[in-house]
Amino acid sequence: MITGSQIAPGGAGSDHRPNARQPGFATRAIHHAYDPADHQGAVAPPVYFTSTYAFPSVAENEEAAAQGGVLYAREHNPTTAILEARLASLEGAEACLAVATGMAAVGTLMLSLLSQGDEVVVHRTLYSNTVALTETGLPRFGIRVVPVDLAEPANLDAAITARTKLVYFETPVNPLSAVLDIAAIAARAHAAGIAVAVDSTFASPALQRPLEHGADLVIHSLTKYISGHGDVLGGAVLGRAETISQLHSHGLRYLTGATLSPMAAALILRGLKTLPLRMERHGSSALAIADMLEKHPAVRWVSYPQLASHSGHAVACKQMSGGSGMLAFGLHAGFEGARRFMDRLSLIARAVSLGDAESLVMHPASLSRARKALRPEAHLTEGVGEDLIRLSVGLEDADDLLDDLRHGLAGV
Ligand code: PLP
């Protein structure tokens, strides 16, 4: 039987030679926490399709129950355990909880750590469904959400009260590609004894590890860069072992039950192997595209943190090792121009989501207007203009992407 302690970071797959250097990021993305010798030589981790686990005796069943061993697949799966240990190693975290989607990760975190009467401070701009959770979901349970512009970290001080339990933000921010200073925000939050959670989905651990800059918890939508191929959903929360254990034993077990499927865990492990290579290509192509857009007469503004003109460029250089494929821009032709531009694209797909091999483009203002028919309360996220076009630069040849974009811009 596999127990929790056997899958801790630094378990199978790590190097036990005295004074051995820790393997590099790319090596750990491929090998950490897995030894083929433990699985009949299978080089790729096996997928454990089982809902429950049998024990040779009642006593061993009891022992597993007492020690947090593997009893039932809502809470434990050996394939998922490899993914969790590997992600924890890459993020520099003590522990990781993998769940069914990125929203499940955000929900599990909030519902496990916050109670009625608590307050959470969030950055004013967040992923649209995290906005829905904070505006509509959490207040229903008596949790007060205080949106603040954390681009100026000093704004945090006035938002903190005796009831504040958590500061939550994304960086880079979806969909603006704005950058928030993790270390500066964490220092102010910690001075007041408050934990900080960072959604690092836009960067991935290959480019940014928020715990190294003072954050207490990291969130990822594994659906995006970490899996990288647009064929699976997943989410993760990473941080100290004690906190992650609380999210596991309360959040996953009975608050959300949002377990990751073992097949999804295997697909995410497969995608993860090429994460550092993919991020290099996403970043170099995105920079070439951002450069082209910045000089194009039809383009009014471009937001890409690795451009010297970006307001958060210095902070991005401090806390990120490179750029991802995410950028935002607006045209002089505004809302209507964005729609005409997008309809002229032939290689880049008009699709939500991000971080895939395929380049994807979306226009949040068009989608939010359309959603109003279904949900009257739908609105464009704070700080997002009607002209904003979000581009997730994929892994195609940069020249082909540049051609497609130039063709699109020629018709606005
Ligand atoms: N966080 C960010 C920054 C996102 O962009 C998304 C989805 O786009 C999520 C969380 C939610 O992830 P998922 O779609 O896997 O639920």
Side-chain angles (χ1 to χ4, degrees):
M1 289 294 146
I2 294 174
T3 64
S5 63
Q6 283 171 284
I7 50 113
S14 61
D15 194 333
H16 298 296
R17 286 173 297 172
N19 304 321
R21 183 179 66 81
Q22 147 135 298
F25 188 96
T27 304
R28 284 179 286 134
I30 297 169
H31 293 285
H32 187 81
Y34 183 71
D35 186 345
D38 298 336
H39 300 272
Q40 302 182 38
V43 171
V47 187
Y48 283 81
F49 281 123
T50 185
S51 58
T52 190
Y53 301 87
F55 291 84
S57 68
V58 172
E60 282 167 81
N61 196 343
E62 280 173 351
E63 194 187 326
Q67 294 181 359
V70 175
L71 293 184
Y72 186 61
R74 188 185 330 102
E75 288 178 75
H76 294 283
N77 179 278
T79 312
T80 306
I82 297 165
L83 174 65
E84 290 173 332
R86 199 167 287 179
L87 288 174
S89 168
L90 297 178
E91 198 67 64
E94 282 177 18
C96 168
L97 176 69
V99 289
T101 64
M103 277 318 296
V106 184
T108 303
L109 170 81
M110 300 279 190
L111 294 177
S112 303
L113 300 186
L114 303 173
S115 301
Q116 188 178 22
D118 287 345
E119 296 182 5
V120 52
V121 178
V122 299
H123 180 55
R124 64 198 278 261
T125 311
L126 294 162
Y127 164 59
S128 59
N129 287 307
T130 307
V131 171
L133 174 72
T134 56
E135 279 185 357
T136 313
L138 295 179
R140 284 185 49 220
F141 300 101
I143 296 162
R144 184 164 168 255
V145 179
V146 185
V148 168
D149 184 0
L150 291 175
E152 179 43 76
N155 289 343
L156 184 58
D157 300 353
I160 288 174
T161 73
R163 290 170 174 261
T164 309
K165 288 282 163 29
L166 185 68
V167 175
Y168 185 95
F169 60 93
E170 301 162 3
T171 186
V173 179
N174 186 0
L176 301 171
S177 285
V179 170
L180 301 178
D181 188 332
I182 302 169
I185 297 167
R188 287 180 182 269
H190 290 167
I194 295 160
V196 172
V198 177
D199 181 334
S200 190
T201 297
F202 262 40
S204 93
L207 303 180
Q208 171 178 281
R209 290 179 290 280
L211 302 180
E212 291 173 2
H213 301 280
D216 302 284
L217 289 152
V218 178
I219 293 271
H220 283 289
S221 166
L222 304 177
T223 315
K224 319 298 182 194
Y225 285 115
I226 289 179
S227 66
H229 294 75
D231 50 11
V232 68
L233 297 175
V237 190
L238 301 106
R240 277 188 279 279
E242 196 185 336
T243 315
I244 298 302
S245 156
Q246 196 184 339
L247 302 192
H248 196 149
S249 62
H250 304 297
L252 182 65
R253 182 163 68 91
Y254 63 82
L255 287 170
T256 67
T259 303
L260 184 69
S261 114
M263 190 65 215
L267 286 171
I268 297 165
L269 279 166
R270 182 170 72 174
L272 188 53
K273 292 182 191 190
T274 54
L275 177 68
L277 281 174
R278 288 186 284 107
M279 293 317 290
E280 269 180 44
R281 177 64 168 266
H282 284 298
S284 62
S285 295
L287 186 57
I289 287 170
D291 268 335
M292 182 279 283
L293 291 174
E294 204 170 35
K295 293 179 190 122
H296 198 286
V299 177
R300 195 163 72 86
W301 59 271
V302 183
S303 172
Y304 184 62
Q306 278 62 36
L307 281 180
S309 59
H310 190 280
S311 61
H313 182 62
V315 176
C317 291
K318 183 178 73 164
Q319 67 192 24
M320 298 177 77
S321 59
S324 77
M326 296 310 300
L327 57 90
F329 60 101
L331 306 180
H332 292 293
F335 179 86
E336 291 300 336
R339 297 164 65 90
R340 285 195 295 274
F341 159 76
M342 284 178 50
D343 276 342
R344 286 175 59 84
L345 298 173
S346 55
L347 175 61
I348 301 171
R350 288 164 288 274
V352 298
S353 202
L354 60 105
D356 297 354
E358 292 82 1
S359 292
L360 310 173
V361 67
M362 71 172 292
H363 182 216
S366 286
L367 290 186
S368 104
R369 282 194 192 185
R371 277 191 189 118
K372 273 199 177 301
L374 199 63
R375 298 196 294 267
E377 78 284 1
H379 64 84
L380 203 51
T381 307
E382 187 71 26
V384 179
E386 293 243 303
D387 61 340
L388 185 145
I389 298 166
R390 190 188 78 180
L391 180 62
S392 169
V393 177
L395 301 177
E396 302 93 340
D397 286 298
D399 284 343
D400 294 331
L401 295 172
L402 287 164
D403 282 352
D404 202 30
L405 291 164
R406 284 195 194 101
H407 177 77
L409 293 169
V412 298

